[in-house]
Amino acid sequence: MVSSAGMLKDIGDKLCLVVAKAAGTTSTNDPDVRLCTLLLAVDEGIQLWGADGRKLYANPATLNQFGAVADVADGGFEALAAVCLGLDGTPIQPADFPVARVLANGEPCADVLLQLRVPGAANRWLRVSAKPMSFGGENGVISSTVDVTQLIEREISLERQAHYDALTRLPNRVLLADRMKQAIAHSKRTGETLAVCLMDLDGFKPVNDTLGHKAGDQLLQEIARRLEETIRADDTAARIGGDEFTLLLGGLKSPQQAEQVLQRVLDAIAMPCAIAGQAVRVTASIGVTLFPGDVADGDQLMRHADQAMYKAKEAGKSRYHMFNPAIESRIRANQGLLRRIEDALDKGQFALHYQPKVDCRTGTVVGMEALVRWQHPVLGLRSPGEFLPLIEHDDIIVRLGEWVINEALRQMAEWRGAGIDLAVSVNVSARQFLRGGFDARLAEMLSAHLPGLERRLELELVETAALEDIAAVRTVMAHYQKLGMRFSLDDFGTGYSSLVHLKRLAVDVLKVDQTFVRDMLDDPGDLAIVQGVIGLASAFGQKVVAEGVESIEQILLLLELGCDIMQGYGIARPMPAERVPGWLAGFQADPRWRLARSQYPMRSDFELLLMEVSHRHWLERTRVAMQQSGELPAPGYDSCRFTQWYAEAGIRRYGGLTEFREIDMIHRKVHKQAEALATFIRAGDLAGAESARMALESANEEMLQQLHSFRVGLAGTIH
Ligand code: C2E
Ligand code: MG
Ligand code: MG
């Protein structure tokens, strides 16, 4: 009996014999030969292996595929494995060869794609399958090898068409998208910077037009070659359309590194190319954005690079421009706001509120200031501080400004119809005023409304804006002043007007900025400014208006200083137009305003006032220091500014008056309490400190009253 170990070998031997016979005969009567013509005819390599991995049989197709290596008599499968490469083109381990895998685990192993090394020719592609085979209790392996080179090449070429640009052989948009994903993922993993660059050739179209498309194609191929040469192998250069390319530069340690590569690219592109017998030169404009600094997905990164590319073109071409996410997001937010404001204008969501200006000396309303409001459907009433600063450099502010003037004129005419003749001031932005044609637009607007309103209209210009182009402002102003219109300098004191400016500008009104008014009772510096502005206005024959007046003390002080016209929450808040008639009807001068009516100070009295404020300032600092447990200002009588003034100018001027000397007595008391307070605080005696503080407050109150009545008394004697 034939041992089972020999059975498979027998089959193999038999096959060898029969196949040899079939190959050498034309007889078709022999059934063996008929069977074997099949084995001879198939293109598929078929191999039979013993349990020890030795070859028992390989059909002729195997020999065709593998050549001499397959023919080694009694050779093992290792001979075949040795000439095979994996998908990636690297040699495979013999244990990975399908026959070995079946021998190792007894499982079939189908459709393994391998490359076959062919000396002196291109590699071929094989699909290898193997499965266990058992015959009469004897185990072996049967395997097949199919040459799929054509199939794979077709696939590769289809793949190429789908992923590569036919002209330049660079990746196309599809592959770029894939590479982009990988590059972003890589950058996220490593923390390294990825530069996404969009490049457009400058001057490509003329080449195409004058030298023809063929020359254009050659140029593009040359550019592609240079791009690939300039960037690293890991980076991507893709052609995404006509003369547009994208570069993905990964693994960057700094933006400077990206800039270096880009400069090299620009230089490489700008080198002349020999095309159609001519030296052709083009340049490139490149827009760049850096991930992850620019937090965006692939599509957004491309859009940002595209925006930057247009900037590079605008800036003169042949350069790169870096996208700046911070600036762009601000611009985008602004553009969103600009659109919303335009929309709000179209939908009539803006309104004017009116704030009265009152002459507190005569107790009469002298006019209203129109202040714009945005009646936002969701957010409610928005004040100009929330939207004007964001649009003041855009033309939308001009449109809004014109709406404001038109609306104010319309409202004035309506009030006139109701028997209310009010002067109205509107705020005008610098851009609106200084843009060519404001003159003509204003004339048009005036002519569209009731005639004569110009004599009741006042334009408020912010001081800094008016200084931008004094000559232009002056021309417009002079023209309309002749028609009776008035001009004021708003927020006066916050800009840098010199006396020369003030003289040249020749406005009708100065509006003292509200910050000075707010603090003038506590800050001698602010008081001096307010007084200075009032003095200037009177020297130049201008009216002065104080804005932001909130308290009766401020009103009285301003009246004392000679500023009669005031505006502020202390008189009335800005109100919608429909509330104005009612407010006017109910308006009554505050009787307390009369207190100051006869008290016009002389310069000497101003010093007294200044000292009073200086004293308040010292006390206020003491209070704040106590609250914040900080350093108390010097509590001593001798270190006080009031003391110094009192001892010199004060005594010289008012020394003969008992009331004045009484002030000094109380002033000393104030400082004694302050010193006591400081001692208690140093000793950590809280109860003592509190009682000293109360004594200080009451001494202080006494002193201020004494000062005030002394001043009032003085005024009485002078007038
Ligand atoms: P402004 O022209 O100096 O107007 C005075 C601002 O102070 C107004 O703020 C007013 O409501 C506020 N105000 C009035 N009295 C007091 C007060 O006693 N205390 C305090 N704390 N504030 C007071 P508003 O309406 O928010 O306007 C702010 C600025 O926006 C205006 O300052 C003006 O420069 C500008 N503005 C307002 N409307 C327009 C406009 O139609 N066009 C232009 N270009 N600018 C405008
Ligand atoms: Mg104003
Ligand atoms: Mg103002």
Side-chain angles (χ1 to χ4, degrees), residues 179 389 459:
R179 297 264 176 98
L459 298 189

Side-chain angles (χ1 to χ4, degrees), residues 299-565:
D299 285 348
Q300 285 169 326
L301 290 172
M302 285 291 278
R303 275 201 298 278
H304 293 169
D306 190 54
Q307 282 170 29
M309 195 268 290
Y310 275 98
K311 291 260 167 66
K313 290 260 185 208
E314 271 169 23
K317 305 182 177 169
S318 186
R319 69 195 60 221
Y320 59 81
H321 181 89
M322 287 272 179
F323 177 84
N324 184 328
I327 292 180
E328 298 297 328
S329 84
R330 233 185 6 251
I331 291 177
R332 260 203 313 285
N334 257 0
Q335 277 167 348
L337 182 75
L338 294 186
R339 266 198 306 280
R340 286 207 301 282
I341 288 181
E342 285 218 284
D343 195 43
L345 259 175
D346 293 339
K347 290 186 177 145
Q349 290 173 357
F350 284 99
L352 292 183
H353 281 199
Y354 295 86
Q355 186 177 34
K357 292 181 204 171
V358 171
D359 182 329
C360 294
R361 198 170 63 87
T362 59
T364 50
V365 179
V366 297
M368 297 275 170
E369 175 174 7
L371 296 158
V372 71
R373 299 287 181 267
W374 179 1
Q375 185 62 60
H376 194 285
V378 181
L379 304 172
L381 203 65
R382 316 311 292 168
S383 56
E386 293 175 70
F387 55 89
L388 286 186
L390 302 168
I391 63 167
E392 67 187 347
H393 298 298
D394 191 277
D395 278 346
I396 182 79
I397 194 146
V398 179
R399 229 190 114 194
L400 179 65
E402 289 194 357
W403 177 86
V404 169
I405 295 178
N406 266 319
E407 171 59 17
L409 288 170
R410 190 201 61 73
Q411 187 60 61
M412 285 164 82
E414 189 186 307
W415 279 332
R416 249 217 219 157
I420 303 170
D421 177 22
L422 266 178
V424 171
S425 65
V426 295
N427 295 279
V428 178
S429 69
R431 196 179 175 97
Q432 185 181 2
F433 200 82
L434 295 173
R435 220 171 92 117
F438 177 74
D439 226 359
R441 286 294 300 134
L442 189 57
E444 269 174 47
M445 288 188 272
L446 283 168
S447 67
H449 295 274
L450 204 65
L453 288 180
E454 62 275 5
R455 278 192 296 280
R456 302 294 272 155
L457 184 67
E458 182 176 314
L459 298 189
E460 298 195 5
L461 290 170
V462 172
E463 181 193 359
T464 37
L467 296 179
E468 268 181 40
D469 187 349
I470 290 187
V473 171
R474 229 175 93 95
T475 317
V476 179
M477 251 172 48
H479 173 72
Y480 283 98
Q481 274 170 329
K482 274 199 218 106
L483 300 178
M485 203 185 281
R486 301 207 304 173
F487 289 83
S488 54
L489 269 192
D490 206 348
D491 302 349
F492 187 73
T494 55
Y496 305 96
S497 292
S498 70
L499 293 178
V500 179
H501 293 145
L502 207 53
K503 184 165 159 250
R504 281 190 61 206
L505 267 173
V507 291
D508 307 281
V509 181
L510 294 185
K511 294 189 79 174
V512 190
D513 189 65
Q514 49 180 286
T515 52
F516 307 121
V517 174
R518 189 181 59 217
D519 296 332
M520 65 181 182
L521 279 166
D522 301 310
D523 187 330
D526 284 345
L527 176 63
I529 291 177
V530 173
Q531 208 250 353
V533 175
I534 294 168
L536 273 179
S538 113
F540 286 110
Q542 293 155 333
K543 282 201 175 308
V544 59
V545 176
E547 6 171 76
V549 176
E550 293 187 355
S551 67
I552 181 72
E553 285 83 6
Q554 288 168 337
I555 295 178
L556 293 179
L557 179 54
L558 284 162
L559 282 170
E560 282 190 40
L561 291 173
C563 171
D564 301 339
I565 306 175

Side-chain angles (χ1 to χ4, degrees), residues 20-201:
K21 191 165 87 181
T25 179
T26 50
S27 159
T28 51
N29 293 333
D30 185 337
D32 283 351
V33 169
R34 283 215 297 276
L35 185 69
C36 285
T37 44
L38 269 180
L39 279 176
L40 271 173
V42 288
D43 289 331
E44 194 172 353
I46 297 172
Q47 305 89 27
L48 185 63
W49 311 89
D52 53 2
R54 292 179 146 266
K55 184 186 79 185
L56 301 178
Y57 172 71
N59 72 344
T62 310
L63 301 185
N64 287 344
Q65 289 165 359
F66 285 85
V69 284
D71 204 17
V72 181
D74 293 338
F77 66 86
E78 291 88 349
L80 299 194
V83 292
C84 285
L85 307 169
L87 278 182
D88 58 359
T90 56
I92 61 161
Q93 298 297 317
D96 287 335
F97 196 67
V99 177
R101 277 153 64 180
V102 175
L103 284 171
N105 59 25
E107 298 286 325
C109 174
D111 298 334
V112 178
L113 209 54
L114 296 173
Q115 297 189 57
L116 179 65
R117 226 167 32 205
V118 184
N123 292 349
R124 304 206 54 86
W125 288 92
L126 286 184
R127 195 174 64 221
V128 184
S129 300
K131 59 183 179 184
M133 174 166 165
S134 187
F135 195 82
E138 188 186 349
N139 296 327
V141 177
I142 180 150
S143 63
S144 66
T145 50
V146 185
D147 189 318
V148 288
T149 307
Q150 267 188 353
L151 209 68
I152 297 287
E153 273 175 357
R154 215 173 38 244
E155 252 178 47
I156 289 176
S157 121
L158 282 176
E159 220 262 349
R160 273 214 158 270
Q161 280 169 30
H163 289 143
Y164 289 84
D165 167 49
L167 178 68
T168 60
R169 299 188 168 276
L170 292 181
N172 63 10
R173 258 179 201 285
V174 180
L175 184 55
L176 175 68
D178 197 48
R179 297 264 176 98
M180 177 85 86
K181 255 189 235 146
Q182 289 173 20
I184 290 175
H186 181 82
S187 160
K188 279 184 184 157
R189 237 182 3 258
T190 59
E192 289 167 340
T193 296
L194 164 71
V196 177
C197 323
L198 202 118
M199 178 181 115
D200 189 279
L201 297 180

